[in-house]
Amino acid sequence: VVFTSLGGGGCLKMACDPRHRDMKFLPWGGVAAHIRRNGENAPQLQGNAFCFLPLPAETGLPVHINGYFELSANRRDIWYGEDMQGAGQYRSLWNRALLADVIAPLYGDLMLAASRMLG
């Protein structure tokens, strides 16, 4: 099961802010889970993070998440941290907004759909 969406809220405001147009934020994300296999419940997976391609980060969730995250220069880490300044701080804020405004609601939708599928 896959859910994708464009986000709103703070994520959309950040994406439309002309001061940061050069960052090319896109408030888009998705979540995916393998619910059934051959009529049986699928084994639980270890969710990974993706930014179109897989990242080495595990999410700790039973779903994969994909989003237009801001990544480090080596494309291995998602920008995150409370102690950053300037553009790094804004990139970190973007990733948190993307998680809150896009990924979290999609995760809730996926869980609801999974509960209906599994009865």
Side-chain angles (χ1 to χ4, degrees), residues 98-115:
L98 190 62
L99 287 170
D101 296 339
V102 181
I103 301 300
L106 288 172
Y107 182 59
D109 292 344
L110 186 140
M111 291 290 104
L112 185 60
S115 70

Side-chain angles (χ1 to χ4, degrees), residues 9-10 14 18 21-22 28 32-33 41 54 67 72 100 102 109 117-118:
M14 290 177 78
R21 187 169 296 157
D22 61 316
W28 178 87
N41 293 348
S72 62
V102 181
D109 292 344
M117 289 175 69
L118 296 172

Side-chain angles (χ1 to χ4, degrees), residues 55-70:
L55 299 170
E58 290 186 355
T59 64
L61 300 171
V63 299
H64 293 310
I65 64 170
N66 185 27
Y68 204 88
F69 294 107
E70 281 294 302

